[in-house]
Amino acid sequence: MTQSCHSTGGAAAPTGSLHIALVGSPNAGKTSVFNHLTGLRARTGNYPGVTVTRSVGTARYRGEHGTVEFAVEDLPGCYSLHPVSPDEQVVADLLDGRLEGIAPPDALAVVVDVTVLERSLSLVAQVLALGRPAMVILTMTDELAARGGHLDIDRFAAALGVPVAGVIASRGRGFEPLRALLAAPENWTRVAIPPPHDDAEFNSWVASILDAGRYRPPDPDRRSARIDRVLLHPIFGSVIFLAVMFLLFQAIFTVAAPAQDLIEQFFAWLSGVVGDTIPNTAIAGLIGTGIIGGVGAVLVFIPQIVLMFLLISLLENIGYMARAAFLVDRLMAFTGLEGRAFVAMLSSMACAIPGIMATRTLPSSRDRIATTMAAPLMTCSARLPVYILLIGLLVDSDARWGPFSLQGLAMFALYLLGGLSAMVVAWVFKSVVLGGDVLPFYMELPPYRFPAVNSVLLTMWDSAKAFLRKAGTIILATSIVLWFLLNLPLRTAEIAGMDPAAANAYVVDHSFAASIGKLIQPIFGPLGFDWRICVGLIGAMAAREVFVATMGQIFAAENLDDPSGAVQSAVWTSGPHQGELLFTASTTVALLVFFAYALLCMSTVAVIRRETNSWKWPLVAWGYMFALAWSAAFVARHVALWIAG
Amino acid sequence: MNLRGPRRVETAARSDGDRHTLADLPTGAAAEIAGLDQGAPEDVSRRLRHLGFRAGTQVVKMRTAPLGDPAVYRLLGYDTCLRRNEAAYIRIAERP
């Protein structure tokens, strides 16, 4: 909480100084203008009380009378000042001075893509109607000329009644005159009469302004039309879409995975070195496993996140993302979401962390929340080791159904269960929990463009930084707490002379985690879990795959990473089932289903906290997933018992 | 699951009687917008007007997605897609 307050404070303009807000539709080039004006001196935070990112930076103008510094705020993209979504509500509230702690900007600059000038005059007219100092920044002036269009900026400005500056953001041209203008809004010309509202009058106002500016619209972009003929073709387009999504998904698995392995190996090695050099086993364990392991657990996500945002930002900047969303929108409409949510859902099959972060590309914050709530149900790669262990206990590796391995079928069924459940949950959150959405679906298909390298790099950097700063601390803290729970109180005297496997088991059996496991066992009793499985679930709170190693430790397996033998022969040590096998078919099925649904991943909780800027949504996610997991596991257990007779 | 969507299109079409809407425009055809359905929610029709879907605008339906929805429209020099749902609120006067 302190941190988020701090960064919101950091994002605020220094009091008393000039504060200018950039307004513009998505794709207008607002963010590139912002980056050019503020360089890397931008700070991001959140608007108070909402899941909408706020970016404020400082721009400098060195004029004849010394240097003027002013704050520039990059408002969320909007097509209209009449809000129909929470994001647009922020813009409207900010301009009206209704946001607590944020003064309304002193002046507004509307960023307009000059190649779609006619359409954009609607937003310009709404800004002019506010009666505040306003100006217009025209981007893509080079593209207008290249496509045979024309605009006389001075005449256009005279007809509009406010200052107009043209820039080429991709090459950084035209920014000095723009800075000079922005530094002195008190000199801006103001409109005497706001533009008309009525459709017919408004259309003639637009026509007269464009006419005065000698505007000639650009020819339709032939290159984009040619590319679209292939990429949006009913058959080729769909095949290419599947291929692109497959490669995106594969890249997260195959390109990021080796880098993640290296990070894991490095931290394992470091932790080993610590273990060898520090004689006190407890301190060595805390530093080696708790702290170094925790830092490793944070950094291990970085390759995925950076790669994910590199690819998404490339596809977005090229213009393919909107096309992909167009192709798949009908499918996503079943869930109440729209095409743009597809990428977030798909990448959650590798890991929910980059998936949830990818929801940033969704324009509606309702869609962002619904997708975030559903994404952790997709079968992520951390569930795989757990599924492999449990399916191995349940199904014989030689068992076949026709030509298919039953183990493979069981795995497929779990993927299907995760995917379908995610779709249903998204629908429930979108349509029931968050209420009906009046926001009509519309999405601009921009011309294909070469991506700007620096904006792609900035997106990658921002996402990695955001993850490390907010989610990283929570993950590290959890790792240390879990180490304490699993290893304290110290049993140095008792384990002296035991072999390592027995010593491991002894420490865990008598740890705080064991006490908690025994305490919560009654909750899980109806699912057939004993207190040791509960300890495994506590360990899995760090990350699902930790369950496997914790089981190995608890059942004193020789090899912690493959405890299946030790787990298979485990029996109840007390209670009415004493001496009976613990992992019966029904219990194993219940455990599999529990893992399919439960949010056993502190990193996901931390990232939901970071992305929604509140503890409400991570708690909701954890709570509903726990309830779902328990109920589904209970049902699955009884169905399994009934089938077994 | 999203039963509301298609059903709303039907009612919109019915209340319009024989009048054409953008939803009925064949792919590749051009039309001039005659106005917006009075029955459309206030927010939706205001947003559609701000996007350029107002009386007098020329629109071409560029293409339809492989699954039949949404469709891409070209108007005022840009391309945007709309679902049938919203397109059914936009009345058109087909060009001869």
Side-chain angles (χ1 to χ4, degrees):
Chain A
M1 200 58 220
T2 343
Q3 261 195 334
S4 78
C5 287
H6 174 77
S7 68
T8 308
T15 40
S17 82
L18 181 58
H19 174 195
I20 291 171
L22 300 181
V23 186
S25 59
N27 298 319
K30 198 165 48 69
T31 302
S32 346
V33 169
F34 174 76
N35 288 341
H36 266 289
L37 286 172
T38 62
L40 287 168
R41 297 183 297 277
R43 284 169 169 268
T44 54
N46 274 72
Y47 289 101
V50 284
T51 322
V52 179
T53 307
R54 180 177 192 216
S55 315
V56 181
T58 313
R60 287 197 190 95
Y61 172 64
R62 289 182 189 83
E64 292 162 21
H65 312 291
T67 303
V68 183
E69 272 199 10
F70 53 97
V72 181
E73 174 154 10
D74 186 14
L75 291 178
C78 63
Y79 284 99
S80 160
L81 296 184
H82 291 275
V84 291
S85 75
D87 307 65
E88 294 175 337
Q89 188 70 50
V90 167
V91 177
D93 287 349
L94 183 103
L95 296 182
D96 287 350
R98 271 179 284 149
L99 280 186
E100 208 181 310
I102 302 178
D106 301 306
L108 302 170
V110 195
V111 181
V112 169
D113 173 353
V114 74
T115 64
V116 292
L117 183 59
E118 190 177 359
R119 184 261 310 204
S120 312
L121 282 177
S122 172
L123 181 64
V124 172
Q126 292 173 52
V127 171
L128 295 184
L130 293 174
R132 298 268 192 78
M135 70 164 292
V136 173
I137 302 171
L138 298 173
T139 60
M140 321 265 180
T141 49
D142 53 339
E143 194 179 314
L144 180 74
R147 279 165 50 194
H150 173 78
L151 179 73
D152 185 325
I153 292 183
D154 293 337
R155 286 169 186 272
F156 173 71
L160 204 56
V162 298
V164 178
V167 296
I168 305 174
S170 57
R171 281 185 244 153
R173 298 228 181 113
F175 281 90
E176 255 335 276
L178 174 61
R179 274 182 235 268
L181 263 173
L182 289 175
E186 63 277 8
N187 299 337
W188 296 359
T189 48
R190 310 275 285 263
V191 283
I193 312 159
H197 280 293
D198 174 77
D199 275 4
E201 285 174 36
F202 179 74
N203 285 345
S204 33
W205 177 80
V206 170
S208 71
I209 301 265
L210 293 178
D211 203 34
R214 311 272 159 89
Y215 183 63
R216 189 170 62 239
D219 300 326
D221 185 26
R222 286 202 203 90
R223 189 180 54 182
S224 291
R226 272 201 305 273
I227 300 174
D228 272 346
R229 228 168 284 149
V230 180
L231 292 188
L232 297 183
H233 186 275
I235 297 161
F236 304 131
S238 308
V239 171
I240 294 169
F241 166 78
L242 289 176
V244 169
M245 291 301 137
F246 179 75
L247 289 177
L248 183 91
F249 180 60
Q250 275 295 307
I252 301 173
F253 261 118
T254 55
V255 181
Q260 289 177 283
D261 285 347
L262 280 181
I263 293 177
E264 273 178 348
Q265 281 165 17
F266 172 76
F267 281 96
W269 168 81
L270 199 62
S271 153
V273 170
V274 168
D276 293 343
T277 44
I278 301 179
N280 184 319
T281 48
I283 294 175
L286 172 63
I287 296 177
T289 314
I291 298 175
I292 295 178
V295 172
V298 174
L299 291 184
V300 79
F301 289 109
I302 292 296
Q304 276 188 349
I305 290 173
V306 166
L307 184 71
M308 179 81 192
F309 276 87
L310 168 69
L311 296 173
I312 287 188
S313 154
L314 270 180
L315 291 175
E316 181 100 48
N317 277 275
I318 289 171
Y320 186 70
M321 213 48 129
R323 268 83 180 174
F326 166 72
L327 290 172
V328 82
D329 179 69
R330 184 70 198 89
L331 280 182
M332 295 305 289
F334 282 115
T335 66
L337 298 172
E338 47 133 310
R340 279 169 281 203
F342 184 80
V343 171
M345 286 295 205
L346 179 80
S347 34
S348 298
M349 289 183 69
C351 175
I353 307 291
I356 288 169
M357 291 180 75
T359 60
R360 290 176 186 189
T361 54
L362 300 179
S364 142
S365 56
R366 279 203 188 92
D367 281 9
R368 285 202 293 275
I369 303 252
T371 313
T372 299
M373 290 296 112
L377 289 173
M378 302 295 282
T379 303
C380 68
S381 52
R383 284 180 175 95
L384 276 180
V386 181
Y387 285 178
I388 290 170
L389 170 71
L390 294 177
I391 290 177
L393 298 180
L394 190 66
V395 184
D396 194 62
S397 60
D398 298 329
R400 294 198 164 264
W401 183 73
F404 304 109
S405 139
L406 268 187
Q407 287 197 339
L409 278 179
M411 188 65 90
F412 178 73
L414 285 163
Y415 267 91
L416 206 62
L417 182 72
L420 289 176
S421 306
M423 296 297 142
V424 174
V425 163
W427 179 81
V428 168
F429 270 94
K430 184 72 197 300
S431 308
V432 183
V433 179
L434 298 165
D437 202 343
V438 290
L439 183 70
F441 170 73
Y442 53 85
M443 181 178 60
E444 195 174 337
L445 299 187
Y448 292 98
R449 291 185 173 116
F450 282 102
V453 176
N454 50 0
S455 81
V456 171
L457 293 179
L458 258 179
T459 315
M460 279 167 64
W461 167 243
D462 280 346
S463 57
K465 197 173 65 176
F467 174 77
L468 287 177
R469 271 182 45 200
K470 292 284 175 58
T473 42
I474 301 177
I475 298 171
L476 178 59
T478 314
S479 162
I480 295 172
V481 168
L482 280 172
W483 183 87
F484 274 109
L485 289 181
L486 288 164
N487 292 279
L488 293 186
L490 291 175
R491 303 284 171 188
T492 325
E494 289 101 317
I495 60 173
M498 287 188 188
D499 73 82
N504 265 334
Y506 187 88
V507 169
V508 174
D509 283 0
H510 299 84
S511 66
F512 290 127
S515 317
I516 299 175
K518 285 168 187 157
L519 194 70
I520 61 173
Q521 196 271 333
I523 302 174
F524 292 98
L527 307 182
F529 302 173
D530 77 341
W531 68 268
R532 291 170 300 178
I533 297 182
C534 293
V535 174
L537 295 181
I538 294 170
M541 285 302 298
R544 293 179 178 91
E545 69 269 27
V546 173
F547 179 79
V548 175
T550 312
M551 286 288 101
Q553 201 178 348
I554 251 178
F555 294 113
E558 302 290 331
N559 178 0
L560 285 186
D561 292 326
D562 182 22
S564 53
V567 170
Q568 190 131 36
S569 53
V571 291
W572 285 85
T573 50
S574 61
H577 300 290
Q578 190 165 5
E580 293 173 28
L581 278 182
L582 176 59
F583 284 87
T584 59
S586 57
T587 301
T588 311
V589 166
L591 198 52
L592 272 173
V593 171
F594 191 82
F595 266 94
Y597 287 115
L599 184 46
L600 294 170
C601 178
M602 273 315 289
S603 310
T604 304
V605 171
V607 118
I608 298 177
R609 155 78 188 91
R610 147 75 213 156
E611 293 296 312
T612 62
N613 197 35
S614 85
W615 277 108
K616 175 185 162 193
W617 290 110
L619 287 175
V620 168
W622 198 90
Y624 100 78
M625 287 178 74
F626 182 85
L628 191 60
W630 194 95
S631 325
F634 184 79
V635 170
R637 172 176 168 80
H638 284 274
V639 169
L641 282 172
W642 176 73
I643 290 174
Chain B
M1 254 176 294
N2 187 11
L3 296 172
R4 253 184 313 163
R7 209 180 294 150
R8 200 153 34 139
V9 174
E10 276 169 38
T11 48
R14 215 176 293 131
S15 73
D16 265 9
D18 291 331
R19 265 179 287 171
H20 286 290
T21 70
L22 266 191
D24 315 318
L25 189 69
T27 305
E32 183 177 308
I33 295 176
L36 294 176
D37 187 346
Q38 299 295 323
E42 171 87 31
D43 281 338
V44 174
S45 66
R46 185 187 285 143
R47 178 52 49 98
L48 289 172
R49 278 210 305 281
H50 287 162
L51 291 171
F53 293 96
R54 42 180 186 261
T57 307
Q58 305 289 327
V59 184
V60 185
K61 192 175 206 163
M62 301 297 287
R63 62 181 79 243
T64 307
L67 299 166
D69 200 27
V72 182
Y73 298 92
R74 175 166 292 171
L75 68 157
L76 305 181
Y78 83 113
D79 292 353
T80 188
C81 55
L82 289 184
R83 288 180 180 166
R84 281 190 70 83
N85 231 354
E86 279 85 27
Y89 291 132
I90 304 167
R91 290 186 288 110
I92 51 169
E94 244 167 295
R95 273 202 302 217

